[in-house]
Amino acid sequence: MILDANERSFPPFSLTRLLTTCFGRGNGEKVCILIDLPNPADIEDYKFLEDETLSIQNYGHEVFYKGFKAGALDEMNWTGGDIFAYKETGGSNLDMEDDCYDPDGNHLSLDRDIYTKYDIILTVSTFSATAPLTAKCKEFGFRGATLHGLNQIILDTGLAVDYEVVSAEAEKLRLGLTKADRFEIDFEVERKVYTLILHTNGQEAQKSHGLCPPGKPDVANLPAGEVYFVPESAEGVFPFKYDESTIGLLHVEDGKIVKSQFVYGDYAEIEDHNRRLKEDPMIGALGELGFGTQVLPFSGRDIQDEKILGTIHVATGRDDHLGGNITPDLFKEHANASHDDVLYAPHKTPEIRLQQARMIRGEQTEILIEHYKPSKYMVDLLEG
């Protein structure tokens, strides 16, 4: 098995191959593209294309919107292919405002004009919309995909793969991890080791695998490729990288981060985090534990990098889109009801060494990752 993405070759990106694999053969479904903008009215006459900082949204226009107009829509046997903009939320998985606009400048409603009229919704955005769209798809019955942070590396690799294969490999790892009692993760920072313990209590593992076939409302994350759990409780200490110069230690009790402890860098960031934890304790709730399943190059975007085999991520905040019970109404402020992945990967957190991640299931203890490399147990599952 090739474990180094540099040794792997990827086929050229194909919009129709990606969408056919993920959504199935078309049957006249109506599709649209959503993008987020600081000022959503800037979609009028495609004014946003003049802003070089909006490269993600540019990909939504150039790859998906123009791709549909160039024949992909007919090849998919889909209709529509329209594009709309909504106001960026400013945070990961925060609920979206209902207002949206079309290229003609019309002021529309997501609930009234989009969710009720389109069967498939593809969202190319700066901020993840997976959680709010998952809630909306259950309410309105559409299918969709979220592709936040899209860049060229992701197009050439994470979106060029065969998602039937990705799904099958994710299932192998899911079966190898499911019904675990707990996971223990050892982190080393500044030559000291800290352990985070997450209790899953025999929970059935879930997978993000990219397939969203007809018949069931759902929203896929693309790129996909992870096995994840919604922890039922957690305790311990784990390091957190605030920025390139600041590291803190997050202390966890009863499933929530209760305080941050200064290690080095800007002490004001630690103080600010502790203030926010005190004002709204739910922002410290641990809502996810995820393991990447794909061999991909690092893209600099968490949506792909958290799917890489050998990485691990813990998320804070809402987890209702994952089947958990942490819903936006539990937070004191709307702006706090986010779902934020904390990714541990060699390119992103080189200051933090992931010494080991272990699974405990009854009398069975298995090493899963050491030093950001998948263990023999994980590789054997994939090769089985």
Side-chain angles (χ1 to χ4, degrees):
M1 178 179 176
I2 296 175
L3 295 176
D4 184 347
N6 293 321
E7 298 175 2
R8 185 179 178 189
S9 60
F10 296 88
F13 171 76
S14 166
L15 180 59
T16 53
R17 183 181 66 236
L18 172 70
L19 297 177
T20 300
T21 306
C22 295
F23 293 101
R25 291 288 171 188
N27 190 29
E29 292 91 345
K30 193 175 184 182
V31 63
C32 74
I33 302 130
L34 291 181
I35 61 171
D36 63 346
L37 294 173
N39 177 15
D42 283 346
I43 196 172
E44 184 175 1
D45 297 326
Y46 307 102
K47 181 182 175 183
F48 71 94
L49 295 175
E50 300 169 8
D51 188 340
E52 294 182 358
T53 67
L54 299 173
S55 62
I56 296 166
Q57 292 75 10
N58 192 296
Y59 276 110
H61 177 266
E62 295 296 313
V63 176
F64 290 88
Y65 178 71
K66 281 191 171 180
F68 285 145
K69 300 302 180 188
L73 202 64
D74 291 338
E75 193 175 339
M76 289 295 302
N77 192 25
W78 285 353
T79 63
D82 309 302
I83 188 169
F84 305 94
Y86 64 93
K87 185 175 176 59
E88 64 177 28
T89 62
S92 175
N93 290 287
L94 290 174
D95 283 342
M96 303 142 70
E97 293 182 11
D98 185 58
D99 301 278
C100 64
Y101 294 81
D102 68 14
D104 292 329
N106 295 310
H107 183 189
L108 306 170
S109 157
L110 288 174
D111 279 3
R112 185 185 66 244
D113 301 307
I114 310 302
Y115 302 146
T116 58
K117 296 181 179 178
Y118 290 87
D119 305 298
I120 295 175
I121 299 173
L122 307 174
T123 305
V124 183
S125 56
T126 298
F127 297 97
S128 173
T130 307
L133 285 177
T134 297
K136 291 293 186 181
C137 85
K138 293 173 182 175
E139 180 181 352
F140 291 98
F142 62 84
R143 292 181 290 151
T146 50
L147 304 101
H148 41 280
L150 188 57
N151 65 17
Q152 195 62 46
I153 295 174
I154 294 173
L155 270 178
D156 291 341
T157 58
L159 296 183
V161 297
D162 183 343
Y163 272 92
E164 294 286 357
V165 174
V166 172
S167 179
E169 291 182 343
E171 179 63 12
K172 290 178 182 180
L173 291 180
R174 192 194 71 79
L175 291 172
L177 303 184
T178 196
K179 298 185 178 177
D181 294 310
R182 68 182 186 275
F183 294 87
E184 299 175 351
I185 311 168
D186 298 333
F187 301 94
E188 181 187 343
V189 63
E190 295 289 280
R191 291 178 288 185
K192 292 183 179 178
V193 178
Y194 305 91
T195 301
L196 176 66
I197 302 172
L198 301 109
H199 299 273
T200 48
N201 300 336
Q203 180 185 131
E204 191 76 23
Q206 301 183 68
K207 65 178 179 180
S208 165
H209 58 127
L211 301 186
C212 195
K216 180 185 177 184
D218 198 8
V219 172
N221 219 204
L222 291 174
E226 70 173 89
V227 173
Y228 64 91
F229 296 83
V230 176
E232 296 184 15
S233 186
E235 70 268 352
V237 178
F238 68 105
F240 180 74
K241 183 177 179 178
Y242 288 87
D243 56 36
E244 291 304 317
S245 63
T246 305
I247 298 284
L249 294 174
L250 304 183
H251 292 251
V252 178
E253 297 175 5
D254 194 26
K256 291 189 182 74
I257 300 163
V258 294
K259 72 173 182 178
S260 177
Q261 176 187 341
F262 180 72
V263 177
Y264 62 74
D266 184 358
Y267 186 66
E269 295 207 51
I270 309 297
E271 286 185 310
D272 181 64
H273 193 182
N274 282 326
R275 176 189 58 78
R276 294 180 66 234
L277 286 168
K278 188 174 182 180
E279 290 176 353
D280 194 345
M282 288 307 295
I283 70 169
L286 297 185
E288 181 191 7
L289 169 66
F291 300 88
T293 66
Q294 285 211 65
V295 177
L296 295 171
F298 290 104
S299 68
R301 311 280 204 202
D302 282 2
I303 190 172
Q304 170 148 315
D305 298 350
E306 69 178 15
K307 311 304 192 316
I308 296 175
L309 189 64
T311 68
I312 195 168
H313 59 278
V314 177
T316 59
R318 68 184 292 183
D319 61 9
D320 49 312
H321 60 302
L322 306 177
N325 299 315
I326 304 174
T327 52
D329 60 289
L330 297 177
F331 296 80
K332 292 186 177 178
E333 292 185 26
H334 163 77
N336 294 340
S338 60
H339 173 91
D340 296 292
D341 289 319
V342 182
L343 173 64
Y344 295 94
H347 77 293
K348 185 165 187 176
T349 52
E351 310 88 345
I352 299 170
R353 294 172 178 82
L354 178 56
Q355 279 203 344
Q356 191 177 92
R358 298 176 296 279
M359 173 190 72
I360 292 87
R361 184 168 53 190
E363 299 298 314
Q364 177 188 13
T365 298
E366 299 289 355
I367 296 170
L368 306 179
I369 300 170
E370 287 187 300
H371 307 292
Y372 296 116
K373 301 290 184 184
S375 68
K376 183 179 184 301
Y377 177 74
M378 296 281 271
V379 174
D380 285 350
L381 288 172
L382 287 168
E383 292 184 331

